[in-house]
CSV table of all heavy atoms in Angstrom, one decimal:
chain,number,residue,atom,x,y,z
B,34,SER,N,-9.9,25.6,-20.3
B,34,SER,CA,-8.8,25.7,-19.3
B,34,SER,C,-9.3,25.5,-17.9
B,34,SER,O,-10.5,25.8,-17.7
B,34,SER,CB,-8.0,27.0,-19.5
B,34,SER,OG,-8.8,28.0,-18.9
B,35,ASN,N,-8.5,25.1,-17.0
B,35,ASN,CA,-9.0,24.7,-15.7
B,35,ASN,C,-7.8,24.9,-14.7
B,35,ASN,O,-6.7,24.4,-15.0
B,35,ASN,CB,-9.4,23.2,-15.8
B,35,ASN,CG,-10.2,22.8,-14.5
B,35,ASN,OD1,-10.9,23.6,-14.0
B,35,ASN,ND2,-10.0,21.6,-14.1
B,36,GLN,N,-8.1,25.6,-13.7
B,36,GLN,CA,-7.1,25.7,-12.7
B,36,GLN,C,-7.7,25.7,-11.3
B,36,GLN,O,-8.8,26.2,-11.1
B,36,GLN,CB,-6.3,27.1,-12.8
B,36,GLN,CG,-5.4,27.1,-14.0
B,36,GLN,CD,-4.6,28.4,-14.2
B,36,GLN,OE1,-5.2,29.3,-14.7
B,36,GLN,NE2,-3.4,28.5,-13.8
B,91,LYS,N,-3.5,64.0,-11.3
B,91,LYS,CA,-2.9,64.8,-12.3
B,91,LYS,C,-1.9,64.1,-13.2
B,91,LYS,O,-1.5,64.6,-14.3
B,91,LYS,CB,-2.3,66.1,-11.7
B,91,LYS,CG,-1.2,65.7,-10.7
B,91,LYS,CD,-0.4,67.0,-10.3
B,91,LYS,CE,0.7,66.6,-9.4
B,91,LYS,NZ,1.6,67.6,-9.0
B,92,GLU,N,-1.4,63.0,-12.8
B,92,GLU,CA,-0.4,62.2,-13.6
B,92,GLU,C,-1.1,61.5,-14.7
B,92,GLU,O,-2.1,60.9,-14.5
B,92,GLU,CB,0.4,61.3,-12.7
B,92,GLU,CG,1.4,62.0,-11.8
B,92,GLU,CD,2.1,60.9,-10.9
B,92,GLU,OE1,1.4,60.5,-9.9
B,92,GLU,OE2,3.2,60.6,-11.2
B,93,SER,N,-0.5,61.5,-15.9
B,93,SER,CA,-1.1,60.9,-17.0
B,93,SER,C,-0.7,59.5,-17.4
B,93,SER,O,-1.3,58.8,-18.2
B,93,SER,CB,-0.9,61.8,-18.2
B,93,SER,OG,0.4,61.8,-18.7
B,94,HIS,N,0.4,59.0,-16.8
B,94,HIS,CA,1.0,57.8,-17.4
B,94,HIS,C,0.1,56.6,-17.2
B,94,HIS,O,-0.1,55.8,-18.1
B,94,HIS,CB,2.4,57.6,-16.8
B,94,HIS,CG,2.5,57.4,-15.4
B,94,HIS,ND1,2.4,58.5,-14.5
B,94,HIS,CD2,2.6,56.4,-14.6
B,94,HIS,CE1,2.5,58.1,-13.3
B,94,HIS,NE2,2.6,56.8,-13.3
B,97,GLY,N,-3.2,57.2,-19.1
B,97,GLY,CA,-3.0,57.2,-20.5
B,97,GLY,C,-2.8,55.7,-21.0
B,97,GLY,O,-3.2,55.4,-22.1
B,98,ASP,N,-2.1,54.9,-20.2
B,98,ASP,CA,-1.8,53.6,-20.6
B,98,ASP,C,-3.1,52.8,-20.7
B,98,ASP,O,-3.3,52.0,-21.6
B,98,ASP,CB,-0.9,52.9,-19.5
B,98,ASP,CG,-0.3,51.6,-20.1
B,98,ASP,OD1,0.5,51.7,-21.0
B,98,ASP,OD2,-0.6,50.5,-19.6
B,100,LEU,N,-6.1,54.1,-21.3
B,100,LEU,CA,-6.8,54.7,-22.4
B,100,LEU,C,-6.4,54.1,-23.7
B,100,LEU,O,-7.2,53.8,-24.6
B,100,LEU,CB,-6.7,56.2,-22.4
B,100,LEU,CG,-7.4,57.0,-21.2
B,100,LEU,CD1,-7.1,58.5,-21.3
B,100,LEU,CD2,-8.9,56.7,-21.2
B,101,ILE,N,-5.0,54.0,-23.9
B,101,ILE,CA,-4.5,53.5,-25.2
B,101,ILE,C,-5.0,52.0,-25.4
B,101,ILE,O,-5.4,51.6,-26.4
B,101,ILE,CB,-3.0,53.6,-25.2
B,101,ILE,CG1,-2.6,55.1,-25.3
B,101,ILE,CG2,-2.4,52.8,-26.4
B,101,ILE,CD1,-2.8,55.8,-26.6
B,102,ARG,N,-4.9,51.3,-24.3
B,102,ARG,CA,-5.3,49.9,-24.4
B,102,ARG,C,-6.8,49.8,-24.6
B,102,ARG,O,-7.3,48.9,-25.3
B,102,ARG,CB,-5.0,49.1,-23.1
B,102,ARG,CG,-3.5,48.9,-22.8
B,102,ARG,CD,-3.3,48.3,-21.4
B,102,ARG,NE,-2.0,48.5,-21.0
B,102,ARG,CZ,-1.0,47.6,-21.0
B,102,ARG,NH1,-1.3,46.4,-21.5
B,102,ARG,NH2,0.2,47.9,-20.6
B,104,LEU,N,-8.7,52.0,-26.3
B,104,LEU,CA,-8.9,52.3,-27.7
B,104,LEU,C,-8.6,51.1,-28.6
B,104,LEU,O,-9.2,50.9,-29.6
B,104,LEU,CB,-8.0,53.5,-28.1
B,104,LEU,CG,-8.3,54.2,-29.4
B,104,LEU,CD1,-9.5,55.0,-29.3
B,104,LEU,CD2,-7.1,55.1,-29.8
B,105,ASP,N,-7.5,50.4,-28.2
B,105,ASP,CA,-7.0,49.3,-28.9
B,105,ASP,C,-7.9,48.1,-28.8
B,105,ASP,O,-7.6,47.1,-29.6
B,105,ASP,CB,-5.6,49.0,-28.2
B,105,ASP,CG,-4.7,48.3,-29.1
B,105,ASP,OD1,-4.8,48.5,-30.3
B,105,ASP,OD2,-3.8,47.6,-28.6
B,107,GLU,N,-7.8,46.2,-26.3
B,107,GLU,CA,-7.1,45.2,-25.5
B,107,GLU,C,-7.7,44.9,-24.2
B,107,GLU,O,-7.6,43.8,-23.6
B,107,GLU,CB,-5.6,45.7,-25.3
B,107,GLU,CG,-4.8,44.7,-24.7
B,107,GLU,CD,-3.4,45.2,-24.2
B,107,GLU,OE1,-2.8,46.0,-24.9
B,107,GLU,OE2,-3.0,44.9,-23.1
B,124,SER,N,-8.4,67.3,-20.9
B,124,SER,CA,-8.2,67.3,-22.3
B,124,SER,C,-7.7,65.9,-22.8
B,124,SER,O,-8.3,65.5,-23.9
B,124,SER,CB,-7.1,68.4,-22.7
B,124,SER,OG,-6.3,68.0,-23.8
B,125,LEU,N,-6.9,65.3,-22.1
B,125,LEU,CA,-6.5,63.9,-22.5
B,125,LEU,C,-7.7,63.0,-22.6
B,125,LEU,O,-7.9,62.3,-23.6
B,125,LEU,CB,-5.4,63.3,-21.5
B,125,LEU,CG,-5.1,61.8,-21.7
B,125,LEU,CD1,-4.5,61.5,-23.0
B,125,LEU,CD2,-4.2,61.4,-20.5
B,128,ARG,N,-10.2,63.5,-25.4
B,128,ARG,CA,-9.8,63.0,-26.7
B,128,ARG,C,-10.2,61.6,-27.0
B,128,ARG,O,-10.3,61.1,-28.1
B,128,ARG,CB,-8.2,63.0,-26.7
B,128,ARG,CG,-7.6,64.4,-26.9
B,128,ARG,CD,-6.1,64.4,-26.6
B,128,ARG,NE,-5.8,65.7,-26.1
B,128,ARG,CZ,-4.7,66.4,-26.4
B,128,ARG,NH1,-3.9,65.9,-27.3
B,128,ARG,NH2,-4.5,67.5,-25.9
B,129,PHE,N,-10.5,60.9,-25.9
B,129,PHE,CA,-11.0,59.5,-26.0
B,129,PHE,C,-12.5,59.3,-25.9
B,129,PHE,O,-13.0,58.2,-25.7
B,129,PHE,CB,-10.2,58.6,-25.0
B,129,PHE,CG,-8.7,58.4,-25.4
B,129,PHE,CD1,-7.8,59.4,-24.9
B,129,PHE,CD2,-8.3,57.3,-26.1
B,129,PHE,CE1,-6.4,59.2,-25.3
B,129,PHE,CE2,-6.9,57.2,-26.4
B,129,PHE,CZ,-6.0,58.2,-26.0
B,130,ASN,N,-13.1,60.5,-25.9
B,130,ASN,CA,-14.6,60.5,-25.9
B,130,ASN,C,-15.1,59.8,-24.6
B,130,ASN,O,-16.1,59.1,-24.6
B,130,ASN,CB,-15.2,59.8,-27.1
B,130,ASN,CG,-14.7,60.5,-28.4
B,130,ASN,OD1,-14.5,61.7,-28.5
B,130,ASN,ND2,-14.3,59.6,-29.4
B,233,ILE,N,12.1,47.5,-10.9
B,233,ILE,CA,13.1,48.0,-11.9
B,233,ILE,C,14.3,48.4,-11.1
B,233,ILE,O,14.3,48.8,-9.9
B,233,ILE,CB,12.5,49.2,-12.6
B,233,ILE,CG1,13.3,49.5,-13.9
B,233,ILE,CG2,12.4,50.4,-11.8
B,233,ILE,CD1,12.7,50.6,-14.8
B,238,ARG,N,23.1,56.9,-9.0
B,238,ARG,CA,23.0,58.1,-9.8
B,238,ARG,C,21.5,58.5,-9.9
B,238,ARG,O,21.3,59.6,-10.4
B,238,ARG,CB,23.4,57.7,-11.3
B,238,ARG,CG,24.9,57.4,-11.3
B,238,ARG,CD,25.5,57.4,-12.8
B,238,ARG,NE,26.8,56.9,-12.8
B,238,ARG,CZ,27.9,57.6,-12.5
B,238,ARG,NH1,27.7,58.9,-12.3
B,238,ARG,NH2,29.1,57.1,-12.4
B,246,ARG,N,10.5,59.0,-12.1
B,246,ARG,CA,10.4,58.9,-13.6
B,246,ARG,C,10.5,57.4,-14.0
B,246,ARG,O,9.7,56.9,-14.8
B,246,ARG,CB,11.5,59.7,-14.3
B,246,ARG,CG,11.0,61.1,-14.8
B,246,ARG,CD,12.1,61.8,-15.6
B,246,ARG,NE,13.3,62.1,-14.7
B,246,ARG,CZ,13.4,63.2,-14.1
B,246,ARG,NH1,12.5,64.2,-14.1
B,246,ARG,NH2,14.5,63.5,-13.3
B,249,ARG,N,7.5,55.2,-13.0
B,249,ARG,CA,6.2,55.4,-13.7
B,249,ARG,C,6.0,54.2,-14.7
B,249,ARG,O,4.8,53.7,-14.9
B,249,ARG,CB,6.2,56.7,-14.6
B,249,ARG,CG,5.8,57.9,-13.8
B,249,ARG,CD,5.7,59.1,-14.7
B,249,ARG,NE,5.9,60.3,-13.9
B,249,ARG,CZ,6.7,61.3,-14.3
B,249,ARG,NH1,7.4,61.2,-15.4
B,249,ARG,NH2,6.8,62.3,-13.5
B,250,ASP,N,7.0,53.8,-15.4
B,250,ASP,CA,6.9,52.7,-16.4
B,250,ASP,C,6.4,51.4,-15.6
B,250,ASP,O,5.6,50.6,-16.2
B,250,ASP,CB,8.2,52.4,-17.1
B,250,ASP,CG,8.5,53.5,-18.1
B,250,ASP,OD1,7.7,54.4,-18.3
B,250,ASP,OD2,9.6,53.3,-18.8
B,251,VAL,N,6.9,51.2,-14.5
B,251,VAL,CA,6.5,50.0,-13.7
B,251,VAL,C,5.1,50.2,-13.2
B,251,VAL,O,4.2,49.2,-13.4
B,251,VAL,CB,7.5,49.8,-12.5
B,251,VAL,CG1,7.1,48.4,-11.9
B,251,VAL,CG2,8.9,49.7,-13.0
B,253,LYS,N,2.5,51.8,-14.5
B,253,LYS,CA,1.5,51.7,-15.4
B,253,LYS,C,1.4,50.3,-15.9
B,253,LYS,O,0.3,49.8,-16.1
B,253,LYS,CB,1.7,52.7,-16.6
B,253,LYS,CG,2.8,52.4,-17.6
B,253,LYS,CD,2.9,53.5,-18.6
B,253,LYS,CE,3.9,53.2,-19.7
B,253,LYS,NZ,4.2,54.3,-20.6
B,254,ILE,N,2.5,49.6,-16.1
B,254,ILE,CA,2.4,48.2,-16.6
B,254,ILE,C,1.8,47.3,-15.5
B,254,ILE,O,0.9,46.5,-15.8
B,254,ILE,CB,3.8,47.7,-16.9
B,254,ILE,CG1,4.4,48.5,-18.1
B,254,ILE,CG2,3.8,46.2,-17.2
B,254,ILE,CD1,3.7,48.3,-19.4
B,257,SER,N,-2.0,48.0,-15.3
B,257,SER,CA,-2.8,47.5,-16.4
B,257,SER,C,-2.8,46.0,-16.4
B,257,SER,O,-3.8,45.4,-16.7
B,257,SER,CB,-2.2,48.0,-17.7
B,257,SER,OG,-2.4,49.4,-17.9
B,258,ARG,N,-1.7,45.4,-15.9
B,258,ARG,CA,-1.7,43.9,-15.8
B,258,ARG,C,-2.7,43.4,-14.7
B,258,ARG,O,-3.4,42.5,-15.0
B,258,ARG,CB,-0.3,43.5,-15.4
B,258,ARG,CG,0.0,42.1,-15.6
B,258,ARG,CD,1.5,41.7,-15.1
B,258,ARG,NE,2.5,42.4,-15.9
B,258,ARG,CZ,3.7,42.6,-15.5
B,258,ARG,NH1,4.1,42.2,-14.3
B,258,ARG,NH2,4.6,43.1,-16.3
B,261,LYS,N,-6.2,43.8,-16.1
B,261,LYS,CA,-6.5,42.7,-17.1
B,261,LYS,C,-6.9,41.4,-16.3
B,261,LYS,O,-7.8,40.7,-16.7
B,261,LYS,CB,-5.3,42.6,-17.9
B,261,LYS,CG,-5.6,41.9,-19.3
B,261,LYS,CD,-4.5,42.2,-20.3
B,261,LYS,CE,-4.7,41.4,-21.5
B,261,LYS,NZ,-4.1,40.1,-21.5
C,35,SER,N,27.8,66.0,-14.5
C,35,SER,CA,28.0,64.5,-14.6
C,35,SER,C,29.0,64.2,-15.7
C,35,SER,O,29.1,65.0,-16.6
C,35,SER,CB,26.7,63.8,-14.8
C,35,SER,OG,26.3,63.9,-16.2
C,36,ASN,N,29.6,63.1,-15.6
C,36,ASN,CA,30.7,62.8,-16.4
C,36,ASN,C,30.9,61.3,-16.6
C,36,ASN,O,31.0,60.6,-15.5
C,36,ASN,CB,32.0,63.4,-15.8
C,36,ASN,CG,33.2,63.4,-16.8
C,36,ASN,OD1,32.9,63.5,-18.0
C,36,ASN,ND2,34.4,63.2,-16.3
C,37,GLN,N,30.9,60.8,-17.8
C,37,GLN,CA,31.1,59.4,-17.9
C,37,GLN,C,32.1,59.2,-19.1
C,37,GLN,O,31.9,59.9,-20.1
C,37,GLN,CB,29.8,58.7,-18.2
C,37,GLN,CG,29.0,58.5,-16.9
C,37,GLN,CD,27.6,57.9,-17.1
C,37,GLN,OE1,26.7,58.5,-17.6
C,37,GLN,NE2,27.6,56.6,-16.7
C,92,LYS,N,-0.1,49.7,-38.0
C,92,LYS,CA,-1.5,49.6,-37.5
C,92,LYS,C,-1.6,49.4,-36.0
C,92,LYS,O,-2.6,49.7,-35.4
C,92,LYS,CB,-2.3,48.6,-38.2
C,92,LYS,CG,-1.8,47.2,-38.1
C,92,LYS,CD,-2.6,46.1,-38.7
C,92,LYS,CE,-2.0,44.8,-38.4
C,92,LYS,NZ,-2.9,43.6,-38.7
C,93,GLU,N,-0.5,48.9,-35.4
C,93,GLU,CA,-0.6,48.7,-34.0
C,93,GLU,C,-0.4,50.0,-33.2
C,93,GLU,O,0.4,50.8,-33.5
C,93,GLU,CB,0.5,47.7,-33.5
C,93,GLU,CG,0.2,46.3,-34.0
C,93,GLU,CD,1.4,45.4,-33.6
C,93,GLU,OE1,2.4,45.4,-34.4
C,93,GLU,OE2,1.3,44.7,-32.6
C,94,SER,N,-1.2,50.2,-32.1
C,94,SER,CA,-1.2,51.4,-31.4
C,94,SER,C,-0.4,51.5,-30.2
C,94,SER,O,-0.1,52.5,-29.6
C,94,SER,CB,-2.6,51.8,-31.1
C,94,SER,OG,-3.1,50.9,-30.1
C,95,HIS,N,0.1,50.3,-29.7
C,95,HIS,CA,0.7,50.3,-28.3
C,95,HIS,C,2.0,51.2,-28.3
C,95,HIS,O,2.2,52.0,-27.4
C,95,HIS,CB,0.9,48.9,-27.8
C,95,HIS,CG,1.8,48.1,-28.7
C,95,HIS,ND1,1.4,47.5,-29.8
C,95,HIS,CD2,3.1,47.7,-28.5
C,95,HIS,CE1,2.4,46.8,-30.3
C,95,HIS,NE2,3.4,46.9,-29.6
C,97,LEU,N,3.2,53.4,-30.5
C,97,LEU,CA,2.9,54.8,-30.9
C,97,LEU,C,2.2,55.5,-29.8
C,97,LEU,O,2.6,56.6,-29.4
C,97,LEU,CB,2.0,54.7,-32.1
C,97,LEU,CG,1.7,56.1,-32.7
C,97,LEU,CD1,2.9,56.8,-33.2
C,97,LEU,CD2,0.6,55.9,-33.9
C,98,GLY,N,1.2,54.8,-29.2
C,98,GLY,CA,0.4,55.4,-28.2
C,98,GLY,C,1.2,55.8,-26.9
C,98,GLY,O,1.1,56.8,-26.3
C,99,ASP,N,2.2,54.9,-26.6
C,99,ASP,CA,3.0,55.1,-25.5
C,99,ASP,C,3.9,56.3,-25.7
C,99,ASP,O,4.1,57.1,-24.7
C,99,ASP,CB,4.0,53.9,-25.3
C,99,ASP,CG,4.6,53.8,-23.9
C,99,ASP,OD1,3.9,53.7,-22.9
C,99,ASP,OD2,5.8,54.0,-23.8
C,101,LEU,N,3.1,58.9,-27.6
C,101,LEU,CA,2.2,60.0,-27.6
C,101,LEU,C,1.8,60.5,-26.2
C,101,LEU,O,1.8,61.7,-25.9
C,101,LEU,CB,0.9,59.7,-28.4
C,101,LEU,CG,1.1,59.5,-29.9
C,101,LEU,CD1,-0.3,59.1,-30.5
C,101,LEU,CD2,1.6,60.7,-30.6
C,102,ILE,N,1.5,59.5,-25.3
C,102,ILE,CA,1.2,59.9,-24.0
C,102,ILE,C,2.4,60.5,-23.3
C,102,ILE,O,2.2,61.6,-22.6
C,102,ILE,CB,0.7,58.6,-23.2
C,102,ILE,CG1,-0.6,58.0,-23.7
C,102,ILE,CG2,0.6,58.9,-21.7
C,102,ILE,CD1,-1.8,58.8,-23.4
C,103,ARG,N,3.6,60.0,-23.5
C,103,ARG,CA,4.8,60.6,-22.9
C,103,ARG,C,5.0,62.0,-23.5
C,103,ARG,O,5.5,62.9,-22.8
C,103,ARG,CB,6.0,59.8,-23.2
C,103,ARG,CG,6.0,58.5,-22.4
C,103,ARG,CD,7.2,57.6,-22.9
C,103,ARG,NE,7.0,56.2,-22.5
C,103,ARG,CZ,7.5,55.6,-21.4
C,103,ARG,NH1,8.3,56.3,-20.6
C,103,ARG,NH2,7.3,54.3,-21.2
C,105,LEU,N,2.7,64.1,-24.6
C,105,LEU,CA,1.7,65.0,-24.1
C,105,LEU,C,2.1,65.4,-22.6
C,105,LEU,O,1.9,66.5,-22.2
C,105,LEU,CB,0.4,64.3,-24.0
C,105,LEU,CG,-0.9,65.2,-23.7
C,105,LEU,CD1,-1.2,66.0,-24.9
C,105,LEU,CD2,-2.0,64.3,-23.3
C,106,ASP,N,2.7,64.5,-22.0
C,106,ASP,CA,3.1,64.6,-20.6
C,106,ASP,C,4.3,65.5,-20.4
C,106,ASP,O,4.7,65.9,-19.3
C,106,ASP,CB,3.5,63.2,-20.1
C,106,ASP,CG,3.3,63.0,-18.7
C,106,ASP,OD1,2.5,63.7,-18.0
C,106,ASP,OD2,4.1,62.1,-18.1
C,108,GLU,N,7.2,64.3,-21.0
C,108,GLU,CA,8.3,63.4,-20.6
C,108,GLU,C,9.4,63.3,-21.6
C,108,GLU,O,10.6,63.1,-21.3
C,108,GLU,CB,7.7,62.1,-20.2
C,108,GLU,CG,8.7,61.1,-19.5
C,108,GLU,CD,8.2,59.7,-19.4
C,108,GLU,OE1,7.1,59.5,-19.1
C,108,GLU,OE2,9.1,58.8,-19.7
C,125,SER,N,-7.0,58.5,-36.3
C,125,SER,CA,-7.9,59.1,-35.3
C,125,SER,C,-7.1,59.3,-34.0
C,125,SER,O,-7.2,60.3,-33.3
C,125,SER,CB,-9.1,58.2,-35.1
C,125,SER,OG,-9.6,58.3,-33.8
C,126,LEU,N,-6.3,58.2,-33.6
C,126,LEU,CA,-5.5,58.4,-32.5
C,126,LEU,C,-4.5,59.5,-32.5
C,126,LEU,O,-4.4,60.4,-31.6
C,126,LEU,CB,-4.7,57.0,-32.2
C,126,LEU,CG,-3.7,57.1,-31.1
C,126,LEU,CD1,-4.3,57.3,-29.7
C,126,LEU,CD2,-2.8,55.7,-31.1
C,129,ARG,N,-5.9,63.1,-32.4
C,129,ARG,CA,-6.3,63.5,-31.1
C,129,ARG,C,-5.2,64.2,-30.4
C,129,ARG,O,-5.4,65.0,-29.4
C,129,ARG,CB,-6.7,62.3,-30.2
C,129,ARG,CG,-8.0,61.7,-30.5
C,129,ARG,CD,-8.2,60.3,-30.0
C,129,ARG,NE,-9.0,59.5,-30.8
C,129,ARG,CZ,-10.0,58.7,-30.4
C,129,ARG,NH1,-10.2,58.5,-29.1
C,129,ARG,NH2,-10.7,58.0,-31.2
C,130,PHE,N,-4.0,64.0,-30.8
C,130,PHE,CA,-2.8,64.6,-30.2
C,130,PHE,C,-2.3,65.8,-31.0
C,130,PHE,O,-1.2,66.3,-30.8
C,130,PHE,CB,-1.7,63.6,-29.9
C,130,PHE,CG,-2.1,62.6,-28.8
C,130,PHE,CD1,-2.8,61.5,-29.1
C,130,PHE,CD2,-1.6,62.8,-27.5
C,130,PHE,CE1,-3.2,60.6,-28.1
C,130,PHE,CE2,-2.0,62.0,-26.5
C,130,PHE,CZ,-2.7,60.8,-26.8
C,131,ASN,N,-3.2,66.2,-31.9
C,131,ASN,CA,-2.9,67.4,-32.8
C,131,ASN,C,-1.5,67.2,-33.5
C,131,ASN,O,-0.8,68.2,-33.6
C,131,ASN,CB,-2.8,68.7,-32.0
C,131,ASN,CG,-4.1,68.8,-31.2
C,131,ASN,OD1,-5.2,68.6,-31.8
C,131,ASN,ND2,-4.1,69.2,-29.9
C,234,ILE,N,10.4,39.3,-20.8
C,234,ILE,CA,9.3,38.9,-19.9
C,234,ILE,C,9.1,37.4,-19.9
C,234,ILE,O,9.4,36.8,-20.9
C,234,ILE,CB,8.0,39.7,-20.4
C,234,ILE,CG1,6.9,39.7,-19.4
C,234,ILE,CG2,7.5,39.1,-21.7
C,234,ILE,CD1,5.6,40.5,-19.8
C,239,ARG,N,1.5,27.8,-21.3
C,239,ARG,CA,0.1,28.2,-21.4
C,239,ARG,C,0.0,29.3,-22.5
C,239,ARG,O,-1.2,29.6,-22.9
C,239,ARG,CB,-0.5,28.6,-20.1
C,239,ARG,CG,-0.6,27.5,-19.1
C,239,ARG,CD,-1.4,27.9,-17.9
C,239,ARG,NE,-1.3,26.8,-16.8
C,239,ARG,CZ,-2.0,25.7,-16.9
C,239,ARG,NH1,-2.9,25.5,-17.8
C,239,ARG,NH2,-1.8,24.8,-16.0
C,247,ARG,N,0.6,39.4,-27.2
C,247,ARG,CA,0.0,40.4,-26.3
C,247,ARG,C,0.9,40.8,-25.2
C,247,ARG,O,1.1,41.9,-24.9
C,247,ARG,CB,-1.3,39.8,-25.7
C,247,ARG,CG,-2.6,40.2,-26.4
C,247,ARG,CD,-3.8,39.6,-25.7
C,247,ARG,NE,-3.9,38.1,-25.8
C,247,ARG,CZ,-4.5,37.5,-26.8
C,247,ARG,NH1,-5.1,38.1,-27.7
C,247,ARG,NH2,-4.5,36.2,-26.8
C,250,ARG,N,3.9,43.1,-26.2
C,250,ARG,CA,3.6,44.5,-26.5
C,250,ARG,C,4.1,45.4,-25.4
C,250,ARG,O,4.6,46.5,-25.6
C,250,ARG,CB,2.1,44.7,-26.7
C,250,ARG,CG,1.7,44.4,-28.1
C,250,ARG,CD,0.2,44.8,-28.2
C,250,ARG,NE,-0.4,44.0,-29.3
C,250,ARG,CZ,-1.6,43.4,-29.2
C,250,ARG,NH1,-2.3,43.5,-28.0
C,250,ARG,NH2,-2.1,42.7,-30.1
C,251,ASP,N,3.9,45.0,-24.1
C,251,ASP,CA,4.3,45.8,-23.0
C,251,ASP,C,5.8,46.0,-23.0
C,251,ASP,O,6.3,47.1,-22.7
C,251,ASP,CB,3.9,45.2,-21.7
C,251,ASP,CG,2.4,45.3,-21.4
C,251,ASP,OD1,1.7,45.9,-22.3
C,251,ASP,OD2,1.9,44.9,-20.4
C,254,LYS,N,6.9,48.4,-26.1
C,254,LYS,CA,6.7,49.8,-26.0
C,254,LYS,C,7.6,50.4,-24.9
C,254,LYS,O,8.1,51.5,-25.1
C,254,LYS,CB,5.2,50.1,-25.7
C,254,LYS,CG,4.7,49.9,-24.3
C,254,LYS,CD,3.2,50.1,-24.2
C,254,LYS,CE,2.7,50.0,-22.7
C,254,LYS,NZ,1.2,50.0,-22.6
C,255,ILE,N,7.8,49.7,-23.8
C,255,ILE,CA,8.7,50.3,-22.8
C,255,ILE,C,10.1,50.3,-23.3
C,255,ILE,O,10.8,51.4,-23.1
C,255,ILE,CB,8.6,49.4,-21.5
C,255,ILE,CG1,7.3,49.4,-20.9
C,255,ILE,CG2,9.7,49.8,-20.5
C,255,ILE,CD1,6.8,50.8,-20.4
C,258,SER,N,10.5,53.2,-25.9
C,258,SER,CA,10.4,54.6,-25.3
C,258,SER,C,11.7,54.8,-24.5
C,258,SER,O,12.3,55.9,-24.5
C,258,SER,CB,9.2,54.7,-24.4
C,258,SER,OG,8.1,54.8,-25.1
C,259,ARG,N,12.3,53.7,-23.9
C,259,ARG,CA,13.5,53.9,-23.1
C,259,ARG,C,14.6,54.2,-24.1
C,259,ARG,O,15.5,55.1,-23.8
C,259,ARG,CB,13.8,52.6,-22.4
C,259,ARG,CG,14.8,52.6,-21.3
C,259,ARG,CD,15.0,51.3,-20.6
C,259,ARG,NE,13.9,50.8,-19.9
C,259,ARG,CZ,13.6,49.5,-19.6
C,259,ARG,NH1,14.6,48.6,-20.0
C,259,ARG,NH2,12.6,49.1,-19.0
C,262,LYS,N,14.4,57.8,-25.3
C,262,LYS,CA,14.8,58.7,-24.3
C,262,LYS,C,16.3,58.8,-24.2
C,262,LYS,O,16.9,59.9,-24.1
C,262,LYS,CB,14.2,58.2,-22.9
C,262,LYS,CG,14.0,59.4,-21.9
C,262,LYS,CD,13.0,58.9,-20.8
C,262,LYS,CE,13.1,59.9,-19.7
C,262,LYS,NZ,14.0,59.6,-18.6
Side-chain angles (χ1 to χ4, degrees):
Chain B
S34 77
N35 192 32
Q36 286 179 283
K91 60 174 184 173
E92 289 176 280
S93 67
H94 58 285
D98 196 64
L100 293 176
I101 295 286
R102 288 173 201 264
L104 191 74
D105 206 25
E107 188 189 318
S124 149
L125 170 63
R128 282 165 213 223
F129 290 82
N130 306 318
I233 195 172
R238 295 192 189 278
R246 261 186 294 272
R249 275 187 206 131
D250 285 1
V251 186
K253 75 183 186 190
I254 295 295
S257 289
R258 196 182 294 159
K261 204 161 170 270
Chain C
S35 77
N36 191 33
Q37 286 178 281
K92 60 175 185 170
E93 288 175 281
S94 67
H95 59 285
L97 181 66
D99 197 65
L101 294 176
I102 294 286
R103 289 173 200 264
L105 190 75
D106 206 27
E108 191 190 316
S125 150
L126 170 64
R129 282 165 214 224
F130 290 83
N131 305 317
I234 196 174
R239 294 192 189 277
R247 261 186 294 270
R250 276 186 205 132
D251 285 1
K254 75 183 186 190
I255 296 294
S258 289
R259 196 183 294 159
K262 206 162 168 268

